[in-house]
Amino acid sequence: MIKAGIIGATGYAGGELVRLLLNHKEVEIKWYGSRSYIDKKYYEVYQNMFKLVDDKCMDDNMEALADEVDVIFTATPQGLCASLVNEEILSKVKIVDLSADFRLKDVKVYEEWYKIQHKSPSFIEEAVYGLCELNREDVKKARLVANPGCYTTCSILTCYPLVKEGLIRPETLIIDAKSGTSGAGRGAKIDNLYCEVNENIKAYGVATHRHTPEIEEQLGYAAGRAFCLNFTPHLVPMNRGILVTAYASLTKDADYDTIRAVYEKYYGSEYFIRILDQDVCPQTKWVEGSNFVDVNFKIDKRTNRVIMMGAIDNLVKGAAGQAVQNMNLMFGFEETEGLKLVPMFP
């Protein structure tokens, strides 16, 4: 049994971490960190935790926390984890950071896109990008894992096999993504009010969304060359879920069986990636509440393009579930422990 602490336990991703870890047979949560609710009972913030969690919310003192637990999850805005972490803390505890502080390997790119100064650039090289299906062996040895973003997880896993095999032309890749409102966090914002979101859909962060360089960097590793793409996110009136539809020109003629074989090559043995049957398009409802990624594709012979599709729950595989998956690898647990969740349908 290991002990876990969560900084940012009262945000949406933090709340999902609590939900998942309470059902993990190898973990005990010892610290529910939240600047906004210090000394307030956790169940008073999330009433669904009544009779499940009686602990009070604590502060974000990472140094004190490192003396009490084996793993720290930082489900916080960009900049906080980098401002708190140091060598002494990492000598005592492993960290899974759900923010973007250690995802990008170029500090200049991070500061350009996030508009803040990086407080711990010395740890960027060490941090392992925690997309388990691609970096499993590195995650196992890591003491600091950068948990990928929700849009990036869905986008990368949807496109990775064809990028890796050189079956699409990188310069033609366009990614269209749609997310539920929980992806914007739990803080009060006018754009996320019910009357603003309900019966509405809109693009945002067009050509400027912060997940763009993360997708480009990881797909660039797969392609073995610099990657530049168009990524456009949209906000849709649902609580949770991400749907990605990506378009790219094929480098050669390919039929269904050829493309299917490529996806099977990379994902055939992956528990959390489900390659759907031919002509079945992913839907967010099918993965809601679970750590699954549903992917599929369609070849458009008329334009010689392939349409790649993927769906995840942004709060589970896109955040908390993936963080637990990373923790399982870091501590040698069964990778699926605490994550064999049946999707919530209908």
Side-chain angles (χ1 to χ4, degrees):
M1 180 74 72
I2 67 167
K3 298 175 181 178
I6 303 169
I7 296 178
T10 54
Y12 286 141
E16 282 293 284
L17 272 170
V18 173
R19 181 176 73 88
L20 297 175
L21 292 177
L22 286 177
N23 290 290
H24 197 295
K25 67 181 182 181
E26 304 288 353
V27 177
E28 178 186 7
I29 305 174
K30 299 295 290 184
W31 188 293
Y32 297 82
S34 174
R35 280 185 176 179
S36 301
Y37 299 99
I38 294 173
D39 290 333
K40 193 179 183 85
K41 289 287 186 75
Y42 188 76
Y43 74 76
E44 292 178 316
V45 181
Y46 284 113
Q47 192 66 31
N48 61 317
M49 293 296 169
F50 183 55
K51 288 195 173 182
L52 297 175
V53 179
D54 198 48
D55 299 67
K56 289 183 178 181
C57 295
M58 309 282 282
D59 58 21
D60 56 10
N61 188 334
M62 188 179 283
E63 291 186 351
L65 177 54
D67 290 328
E68 296 193 21
V69 300
D70 304 293
V71 60
I72 298 174
F73 296 94
T74 51
T76 58
Q78 276 62 244
L80 183 63
C81 183
S83 72
L84 298 176
V85 70
N86 57 49
E87 181 59 38
E88 182 179 358
I89 289 171
L90 282 173
S91 70
K92 299 176 182 178
V93 68
K94 296 182 179 182
I95 295 176
V96 181
D97 179 29
L98 279 72
S99 81
D101 284 357
F102 299 100
R103 294 174 189 162
L104 297 166
K105 291 303 182 185
D106 188 331
V107 68
K108 292 182 180 178
V109 173
Y110 171 88
E111 292 178 347
E112 175 186 352
W113 285 80
Y114 286 90
K115 309 303 181 187
I116 57 175
Q117 181 183 5
H118 201 291
K119 300 296 185 180
S120 300
S122 60
F123 293 111
I124 290 177
E125 187 59 35
E126 175 185 349
V128 173
Y129 190 74
L131 197 51
C132 304
E133 288 77 12
L134 306 187
N135 299 324
R136 182 172 285 113
E137 296 307 313
D138 290 334
V139 170
K140 289 179 180 179
K141 298 175 287 186
R143 59 177 187 167
L144 174 60
V145 165
N147 211 62
C150 52
Y151 277 127
T152 54
T153 294
C154 197
S155 298
I156 293 166
L157 292 177
T158 297
C159 303
Y160 178 83
L162 302 192
V163 172
K164 183 70 173 177
E165 291 295 311
L167 284 172
I168 60 175
R169 291 166 50 199
E171 67 275 10
T172 68
L173 182 59
I174 297 172
I175 299 176
D176 177 292
K178 299 173 179 64
S179 174
T181 57
S182 60
R186 195 164 180 249
K189 307 177 187 72
I190 290 177
D191 285 349
N192 296 339
L193 294 174
Y194 178 81
C195 289
E196 305 294 328
V197 174
N198 187 47
E199 299 294 337
N200 189 27
I201 180 171
K202 66 178 181 180
Y204 68 100
V206 179
T208 62
H209 194 277
R210 293 169 171 180
H211 283 182
T212 304
E214 191 180 333
I215 300 169
E216 290 179 340
E217 183 171 279
Q218 295 302 316
L219 290 182
Y221 294 149
R225 52 175 282 191
F227 220 94
C228 186
L229 54 82
N230 286 119
F231 170 71
T232 305
H234 300 75
L235 187 67
V236 297
M238 61 184 185
N239 291 338
R240 55 205 295 165
I242 286 179
L243 181 71
V244 159
T245 310
Y247 310 84
S249 296
L250 290 162
T251 55
K252 61 182 180 181
D253 289 338
D255 59 16
Y256 171 83
D257 291 336
T258 300
I259 302 296
R260 176 79 188 200
V262 171
Y263 275 93
E264 291 285 356
K265 174 182 175 180
Y266 288 95
Y267 298 153
S269 61
E270 292 292 344
Y271 179 83
F272 288 119
I273 301 183
R274 305 188 298 192
I275 309 168
L276 302 183
D277 292 339
Q278 187 172 3
D279 295 328
V280 177
C281 299
Q283 297 185 24
T284 56
K285 200 71 175 177
W286 298 345
V287 294
E288 185 178 0
S290 80
N291 202 53
F292 287 115
V293 186
D294 283 0
V295 296
N296 215 342
F297 64 92
K298 186 81 173 183
I299 300 170
D300 185 348
K301 289 289 187 181
R302 189 176 62 86
T303 60
N304 196 39
R305 294 175 71 84
V306 61
I307 301 160
M308 299 157 281
M309 299 163 284
I312 66 169
D313 185 313
N314 59 296
L315 294 179
V316 189
K317 183 58 176 174
Q322 186 146 255
V324 172
Q325 192 178 349
N326 276 310
M327 179 204 69
N328 285 340
L329 290 172
M330 296 166 82
F331 286 90
F333 303 142
E334 181 183 354
E335 190 171 336
T336 59
E337 173 57 41
L339 296 171
K340 289 184 176 180
L341 306 170
V342 177
M344 299 186 297
F345 186 84

